[in-house]
Amino acid sequence: MSDTVPATPRWNLDRPFLTGRFHQEVKSSSQMQMMTQASKPLYQFDLTSRGNEKDIASFAVSVQEPFLIEDLLYALVGIEGRYISIKRIRGKEGYVVFQIDTSMDLALQELTSRIFPLCEGYVLVNHFVESRSHFKNGFGNHALAAAIRAFLLDYQAMVAQLEHQFRLGKLSSQGLWFFCQRMMSSMNALAVLVEKAITDNVSGSATLNLLESQVKAMAGDNAVRSLLERMTECASAAYFKILERWVYEGVIDDPYGEFFISENKSLQKESLTEDYDAKYWEHRYKLKDGVPSFLRSVSHTILTTGKYLNVMRECGHHVQVPLSENSKLTSFGPNHEYLERIKAAYDFASGELLTLIKNKYDLIGKLRSLKRYLLVDQGDFLVHFMDIAREELSKSPKEVSAEKLESLLDLALRMTAAASDPCHEELTCCVEKVSLQKTLATLKDLPGPVSGANDAAIDDPELAEPLNITGLETFSLSYKVQWPLSLVISRKALTKYQMIFRLLFHCKHVSRQLCTAWQLHQGFRACKILGTPISRSSILCRSMLKFINSLLHYLTFEVLEPNWHMMHDRLLTAKSIDEVIEFHDLFLHKCLKECLLLMPQLLKKVEKLKALCLRYATSIQVLIPSMNMLPERDTKLATTARIKQSQLKEQQLKLALENTVISDSIMKFENEFNVELQSLVPILSRNNSQSEPYLTHLAQCILGIRADQ
């Protein structure tokens, strides 16, 4: 509720004659005497001749009856009489009990006791009308109080007509009872309604739900049910005005906190691009408890409709659902036309926002750009970047200069085909501080194949951070996303893209290092080295290359490409932004899962194989050039007689092969690679048997490598 709700003036609460609470007026004996002298009797008998007025038993029954009728007419509007008194119930404001002089005739007392529930109900209902008309009680209670006040006017008109008949001497006690019966059931139903409303202190949706339940409870009484339905319609009209502004304009006009949708203004749209755990779309507008029963089936539709309109307004695209006399939500009825109007408003808002995001902000183009760069669909810029940034990326993450990488990335983009892409300027660099496995382990919301997989991975001693980690393992690209595209490409979604990119980037780095080692081996193709360690090293290098290239082929052509095309086709047929977000999140989840990023055991094995390949490639790049270094005399001889170069290579190779260090190193790498490869196959087979068919292709690749060996 707003803090600026106007306060009801105190003088409006303290004056009983203004509020109708006459029975709360404390009168002195002198005031009572003045009122008695000033009052005129409503009947033909002269009260001054009665002697002792309080001793009504001294009068005949025929004389007692007009005295009783006069007091009952006062009691019907909540005023004490001479022989009927009002007793307030302590602790329950508005609750009173009417009492009659016990000396009166028993038959008249019995008849009076039948009318007292009507009098007590009037006092309670009138108290509700007065108390719920204050500002703080909200539009729903205001409207209900106004509708009840209209009913009380009819009731008071009935009492006035009875008074007129009494003045004419045509009203008997039995006649009074007869005419009051028409109002008894209605007043009793309203008294039950307001009693529950006061006890539960209802407002807004709770008031409407209470009215709905009371209407159902009175299904057997057509007159009372019609009265309560009219009250419900009047109370819901004020509620529908709030609802209409929300579903037609996206504005919550709710100064008293009655609406079933709340707004958290502390959540800003900028958090979507900054905070991984941003809950803007889910928590900026939320459903509260106590949705009106007649709107419960469309509550989420109502919430989503206003959210869509708010997004467009945040974009500066002011749009309003077209209004007509037939589309207003200001009435509540059994035909449920308001449900069709809400559905029409949702369809309009959903279509407008989807068209805005797809056309003006080019959602598909942005997603295609993310695929081009972060999913390495366009590799020419990346190859050039890895060449010119090799020295900088070889440093530790703390020593890498992000500014230098930014300039090198910009240079690589401008010198390749990416320069023609207008979205390439949105690309930026970032260098994380920890390895990919550690980063994945800290993202608690990523679902794993079993519960607690990520928590177990954090404590795994085999995932200890490598001492020689470099920028090549932690480098990633980032992408600048503007509102409203940040609804789809949020910080969380972008982080998932970056996890996939880091895996692909490091795999490409390993592949490039192995290619360099393979090229060094080609220098010995003319030499007769069959059966030597160099020959074994060449075969091992080819197996490692096949493994890493098979892994890259699997990641790109077996996982990313088909899943992206599936998402693309779904986005073309999406009918709302919620469906777009759902399809995009599903795409990222499938990619993370099928890229092994959600399977710590498999990812750990793959990372160990890549690390082994890197160590091997680095060793070969050191060993083989040292074997090609000729002595000074041989170098001079080679310059004068190039024809003898092959002979010198064979001589030098023979000397090198006699060194057991080289031979042992190659054998060690071969054994480690084979052991790790063999340990990977059972894990793939086990997961494949557990309904993970996407691993079949990777398992076949690994088995193919072993067969080649």
Side-chain angles (χ1 to χ4, degrees):
M1 184 181 297
S2 175
D3 296 333
T4 59
V5 174
T8 302
R10 189 66 196 173
W11 56 267
N12 198 27
L13 304 175
D14 293 338
R15 296 192 292 174
F17 287 99
L18 183 63
T19 60
R21 295 192 294 269
F22 307 104
H23 55 278
Q24 295 186 8
E25 181 75 5
V26 180
K27 309 178 185 65
S28 63
S29 57
S30 58
Q31 289 176 325
M32 286 292 296
Q33 185 178 2
M34 292 175 60
M35 291 176 61
T36 302
Q37 294 176 355
S39 62
K40 297 292 184 180
L42 300 178
Y43 41 84
Q44 66 269 27
F45 298 99
D46 186 1
L47 294 179
T48 58
S49 63
R50 290 185 292 162
N52 187 2
E53 295 178 352
K54 292 186 179 181
D55 189 11
I56 194 171
S58 60
F59 295 97
V61 174
S62 59
V63 179
Q64 293 181 21
E65 183 176 8
F67 296 158
L68 175 64
I69 294 174
E70 180 191 24
D71 280 6
L72 280 175
L73 290 174
Y74 279 113
L76 286 173
V77 290
I79 304 175
E80 287 184 326
R82 292 183 177 86
Y83 305 105
I84 295 178
S85 61
I86 298 177
K87 181 181 179 182
R88 287 182 291 173
I89 299 178
R90 182 171 298 180
K92 290 187 175 183
E93 188 176 358
Y95 291 82
V96 298
V97 175
F98 282 81
Q99 296 177 338
I100 190 171
D101 192 336
T102 55
S103 62
M104 188 174 288
D105 181 71
L106 292 178
L108 293 178
Q109 290 187 47
E110 174 64 23
L111 183 64
T112 304
S113 64
R114 298 178 185 178
I115 301 177
F116 278 170
L118 179 63
C119 305
E120 294 167 357
Y122 169 80
V123 173
L124 179 61
V125 171
N126 187 65
H127 167 73
F128 176 84
V129 170
E130 292 296 333
S131 61
R132 291 305 186 271
S133 298
H134 301 164
F135 293 107
K136 64 180 181 180
N137 294 292
F139 292 131
N141 281 330
H142 294 171
L144 176 60
I148 295 178
R149 184 181 285 111
F151 168 81
L152 292 182
L153 288 176
D154 292 339
Y155 171 82
Q156 291 166 355
M158 180 202 74
V159 176
Q161 291 171 355
L162 292 175
E163 180 185 346
H164 178 66
Q165 292 296 316
F166 180 61
R167 286 181 180 275
L168 297 178
K170 298 180 180 181
L171 184 67
S172 64
S173 58
Q174 291 292 335
L176 178 63
W177 164 241
F178 173 79
F179 289 117
C180 285
Q181 288 187 62
R182 185 174 64 88
M183 282 287 183
M184 289 290 290
S185 57
S186 298
M187 187 65 74
N188 180 63
L190 288 180
V192 172
L193 172 69
V194 301
E195 182 178 5
K196 292 182 178 180
I198 293 173
T199 302
D200 299 335
N201 194 26
V202 297
S203 64
S205 302
T207 300
L208 300 183
N209 287 334
L210 176 60
L211 284 165
E212 279 287 290
S213 64
Q214 291 303 112
V215 169
K216 294 177 182 178
M218 295 296 174
D221 192 329
N222 291 332
V224 175
R225 187 183 70 252
S226 299
L227 171 65
L228 293 178
E229 285 177 349
R230 188 165 67 252
M231 298 294 171
T232 305
E233 184 175 353
C234 293
S236 62
Y239 200 84
F240 268 112
K241 290 181 180 179
I242 304 176
L243 176 63
E244 189 177 73
R245 289 210 66 187
W246 172 250
V247 298
Y248 287 165
E249 303 176 37
V251 176
I252 297 181
D253 185 10
D254 184 25
Y256 305 115
E258 300 173 274
F259 200 39
F260 63 89
I261 296 175
S262 62
E263 179 182 7
N264 187 354
K265 295 184 178 179
S266 63
L267 293 176
Q268 300 298 321
K269 62 181 184 293
E270 289 76 15
S271 64
L272 287 168
T273 58
E274 299 170 357
D275 184 9
Y276 179 85
D277 296 319
K279 302 295 184 182
Y280 177 88
W281 186 243
E282 297 84 2
H283 293 169
R284 175 62 187 263
Y285 297 100
K286 291 178 60 178
L287 291 176
K288 297 191 297 188
D289 295 333
V291 179
S293 57
F294 56 88
L295 295 175
R296 194 167 290 127
S297 61
V298 292
S299 58
H300 288 282
T301 302
I302 293 170
L303 172 66
T304 307
T305 303
K307 287 168 67 174
Y308 291 166
L309 295 172
N310 270 282
V311 171
M312 287 186 280
R313 189 170 65 249
E314 292 274 3
C315 298
H317 184 74
H318 296 283
V319 63
Q320 184 174 350
V321 178
L323 291 176
S324 64
E325 290 299 325
N326 296 327
S327 64
K328 289 189 174 297
L329 298 173
T330 55
S331 62
F332 171 81
N335 53 5
H336 303 304
E337 292 181 359
Y338 61 93
L339 297 178
E340 298 178 1
R341 295 168 185 173
I342 290 172
K343 182 62 169 60
Y346 168 79
D347 292 338
F348 175 83
S350 176
E352 283 289 316
L353 178 58
L354 199 58
T355 302
L356 180 70
I357 288 183
K358 282 187 176 181
N359 296 343
K360 182 178 179 180
Y361 293 96
D362 191 19
L363 173 65
I364 303 297
K366 293 293 184 183
L367 291 176
R368 190 176 288 112
S369 179
L370 281 171
K371 176 176 180 283
R372 181 179 299 119
Y373 299 119
L374 272 75
L375 301 185
V376 199
D377 187 44
Q378 180 179 335
D380 57 342
F381 88 94
L382 192 62
V383 171
H384 187 58
F385 174 76
M386 294 176 77
D387 287 334
I388 61 179
R390 179 176 56 187
E391 181 180 352
E392 190 67 25
L393 291 174
S394 299
K395 301 177 182 178
S396 66
K398 295 181 179 179
E399 296 174 349
V400 174
S401 172
E403 293 78 10
K404 187 173 182 179
L405 287 180
E406 287 282 356
S407 61
L408 293 175
L409 176 65
D410 184 64
L411 180 62
L413 291 171
R414 293 180 183 278
M415 295 182 64
T416 58
S420 60
D421 181 13
C423 297
H424 79 271
E425 296 182 355
E426 308 296 332
L427 210 61
T428 59
C429 292
C430 63
V431 180
E432 304 294 337
K433 302 301 181 184
V434 295
S435 64
L436 176 61
Q437 289 175 280
K438 281 291 184 181
T439 304
L440 286 168
T442 57
L443 299 179
K444 298 287 187 179
D445 68 310
L446 290 182
V450 293
S451 178
N454 287 341
D455 295 335
I458 294 177
D459 300 327
D460 193 339
E462 296 190 29
L463 289 183
E465 200 69 22
L467 297 177
N468 57 344
I469 188 172
T470 65
L472 290 163
E473 287 83 11
T474 61
F475 172 77
S476 181
L477 294 177
S478 188
Y479 200 85
K480 298 177 182 177
V481 183
Q482 303 297 327
W483 173 266
L485 294 181
S486 55
L487 286 173
V488 181
I489 313 170
S490 61
R491 177 72 259 173
K492 179 179 291 187
L494 195 57
T495 300
K496 295 177 181 179
Y497 274 107
Q498 290 174 329
M499 297 299 102
I500 299 172
F501 173 82
R502 289 178 64 178
L503 177 62
L504 295 173
F505 182 80
H506 195 248
C507 286
K508 284 189 173 293
H509 167 64
V510 175
S511 177
R512 284 166 57 85
Q513 293 298 99
L514 289 173
C515 285
T516 302
W518 176 253
Q519 290 172 358
L520 292 174
H521 281 94
Q522 300 312 297
F524 294 95
R525 290 184 63 182
C527 301
K528 298 177 182 179
I529 58 174
L530 189 61
T532 66
I534 295 299
S535 176
R536 296 178 67 93
S537 176
S538 178
I539 296 173
L540 176 60
C541 186
R542 184 178 64 184
S543 298
M544 289 183 171
L545 261 176
K546 186 173 182 181
F547 164 74
I548 200 68
N549 288 336
S550 297
L551 179 61
L552 277 170
H553 180 275
Y554 164 77
L555 294 175
T556 53
F557 293 101
E558 301 289 348
V559 176
L560 299 180
E561 278 294 327
N563 283 324
W564 196 90
H565 284 289
M566 186 184 299
M567 178 193 68
H568 180 267
D569 294 339
R570 287 176 172 176
L571 292 183
L572 294 179
T573 59
K575 297 181 180 180
S576 68
I577 192 64
D578 281 297
E579 287 189 4
V580 170
I581 295 173
E582 180 185 353
F583 294 151
H584 184 243
D585 289 345
L586 179 61
F587 160 72
L588 288 174
H589 172 69
K590 289 191 67 177
C591 288
L592 286 171
K593 184 178 181 181
E594 296 179 13
C595 286
L596 315 181
L597 293 172
L598 300 184
M599 310 183 74
Q601 288 185 337
L602 272 174
L603 183 61
K604 180 174 62 177
K605 290 292 183 182
V606 171
E607 290 296 322
K608 290 178 72 174
L609 280 167
K610 288 196 300 176
L612 182 61
C613 292
L614 272 179
R615 294 205 317 270
Y616 166 78
T618 303
S619 300
I620 291 300
Q621 292 177 40
V622 173
L623 289 174
I624 292 185
S626 67
M627 295 165 58
N628 283 328
M629 292 177 61
L630 302 178
E632 185 178 352
R633 64 178 187 278
D634 293 336
T635 304
K636 293 180 179 179
L637 181 61
T639 57
T640 58
R642 296 184 59 186
I643 195 171
K644 296 183 179 180
Q645 283 187 353
S646 60
Q647 298 176 357
L648 293 173
K649 277 189 175 183
E650 291 180 4
Q651 293 174 4
Q652 197 67 23
L653 177 60
K654 184 178 180 180
L655 294 173
L657 295 178
E658 294 175 356
N659 188 350
T660 58
V661 175
I662 296 176
S663 178
D664 292 344
S665 297
I666 293 173
M667 290 292 292
K668 183 179 179 181
F669 279 120
E670 183 180 12
N671 291 334
E672 287 187 19
F673 181 73
N674 289 333
V675 169
E676 290 297 333
L677 206 58
Q678 290 173 6
S679 66
L680 182 61
V681 174
I683 299 177
L684 285 170
S685 302
R686 183 169 63 253
N687 283 280
N688 189 30
S689 64
Q690 296 175 355
S691 303
E692 303 290 356
Y694 60 88
L695 296 175
T696 302
H697 302 291
L698 185 57
Q700 290 173 350
C701 293
I702 302 302
L703 292 173
I705 295 170
R706 293 182 64 200
D708 290 344
Q709 294 177 333

